[in-house]
Amino acid sequence: MHLINPTRSRPGDHTAASRSRRTLRARRWAGWLFALPALAFYAVFDFRPILLSIQYSFYDWDGIGASTWAGLENYREVFTDPEQLSSLLHAFYLILFFTVLPVTLALISASVMRQIQGKFTGTLARTMLFLPQIIPGAAAGVAWTWMYSDNGVVNQLLRAVGLESAARPWLGDFTWALTAVGFIGTWLSTGLCTMLLLAGIGKIDGSLYEAARIDGAGAIRQFRSVTLPGLRNEIGVCVTITVIAALASFDVVYLATQGGPGTQTMVPGVMVYNLAFNESRLGAASALAVVLALIVIAVIVPLQRLFRER
């Protein structure tokens, strides 16, 4: 009498397993084939320019004639030239206006709009807050240039409330120009952050707020104990997007001030443009661009770890 070993595999099992593996491999290759056009596009128009920029950063080249090997000289200049170094510091200063203020205002706005959600005023508020997102940054820079002018809306409002001494040509003032540009970034970023956080609040279980109210928690305690922990991922997305916008800002600054007055609003993006197209120094421009990209990565990676969901 022969006993059947239940753990012994049958020939059909091997055939089914091999067929399953082949199917899995075919699906995997099919996925790569679907992604191939996008990968090719990325390689030609994104990855290749990045590699060329790294290559150019080691040369002294005007973009037309013969290039000369410069080694690390262009990188040394980034950290020793006062104008280039100050442009990097200005970019970090703009994080206050592109990130800290918008995210803070968005948290407050989203929490308030949660209470009036579904009402006409809530819809109107969301529309008004999101409106700047459909306006290109270049157009916003031009519009705010008019508003910041000596007879612009900002100064007219200051004079109307009796603060005529505070009125000034904001974008031409050496002390206030960079701050004025920063507030343009605040205006552009707040709406997007509000919409992202409002969507995040929508997925928080309402029973948590109900339980907090039963425990006697007020609005501030509910915000700290329920809203903030529930919006960890959304806040991380907002911070990531706005920090990159601050460090890589170009269109708003270029259209509003072109880095002036003097170099008071010069940022790396505008400096790279000036070095490449106005001074014909592609090597120096590429080195600054590479340094800026490394700074963005060095800032964003820790932020991603910080806001990663626990």
Side-chain angles (χ1 to χ4, degrees), residues 27-292:
R27 289 179 179 177
R28 186 182 296 117
W29 281 109
W32 281 107
L33 288 176
F34 278 113
L36 188 59
L39 291 174
F41 188 89
Y42 178 83
V44 173
F45 295 102
D46 284 289
F47 191 65
R48 180 174 176 271
I50 291 173
L51 294 179
L52 288 176
S53 295
I54 296 174
Q55 178 186 350
Y56 296 158
S57 66
F58 295 104
Y59 290 86
D60 184 10
W61 186 41
D62 61 2
I64 300 175
S67 60
T68 304
W69 175 258
L72 297 176
E73 180 62 26
N74 290 326
Y75 289 96
R76 186 192 66 81
E77 184 180 352
V78 171
F79 297 102
T80 56
D81 179 37
E83 290 188 7
Q84 295 191 44
L85 187 58
S86 65
S87 71
L88 293 172
L89 297 178
H90 292 163
F92 279 98
Y93 178 73
L94 288 180
I95 291 177
L96 173 65
F97 299 94
F98 278 72
T99 302
V100 178
L101 283 178
V103 173
T104 303
L105 293 173
L107 282 169
I108 298 172
S109 301
S111 299
V112 171
M113 282 192 287
R114 184 183 69 85
Q115 306 295 332
I116 57 176
Q117 195 168 11
K119 300 180 182 179
F120 173 76
T121 52
T123 303
L124 181 62
R126 288 192 294 271
T127 302
M128 296 300 294
L129 282 170
F130 193 73
L131 189 61
Q133 299 306 309
I134 66 176
I135 301 175
V142 173
W144 277 89
T145 300
W146 297 337
M147 296 171 64
Y148 277 138
S149 64
D150 190 44
N151 294 318
V153 175
V154 175
N155 285 331
Q156 289 183 21
L157 290 174
L158 290 174
R159 295 186 181 106
V161 297
L163 296 175
E164 188 171 354
S165 60
R168 67 194 71 226
W170 294 92
L171 296 178
D173 189 286
F174 277 78
T175 303
W176 291 96
L178 186 60
T179 300
V181 170
F183 277 115
I184 303 177
T186 303
W187 180 74
L188 287 171
S189 302
T190 301
L192 176 62
C193 292
T194 302
M195 293 300 103
L196 289 174
L197 296 180
L198 196 59
I201 288 178
K203 70 179 180 61
I204 298 177
D205 191 350
S207 62
L208 296 177
Y209 290 101
E210 184 65 27
R213 282 192 294 269
I214 293 174
D215 289 341
I220 297 178
R221 183 63 182 273
Q222 291 179 39
F223 177 79
R224 290 173 52 192
S225 302
V226 180
T227 304
L228 278 181
L231 292 178
R232 186 183 185 90
N233 286 340
E234 287 76 11
I235 294 174
V237 172
C238 291
V239 169
T240 300
I241 293 174
T242 53
V243 166
I244 293 175
L247 294 177
S249 57
F250 171 78
D251 49 359
V252 171
V253 179
Y254 185 79
L255 268 297
T257 64
Q258 295 188 1
T263 59
Q264 293 302 111
T265 61
M266 185 62 67
V267 292
V270 178
M271 178 63 74
V272 169
Y273 178 88
N274 288 338
L275 288 172
F277 298 103
N278 294 336
E279 301 181 19
S280 298
R281 300 178 58 201
L282 265 70
S286 299
L288 180 57
V290 171
V291 170
L292 178 61

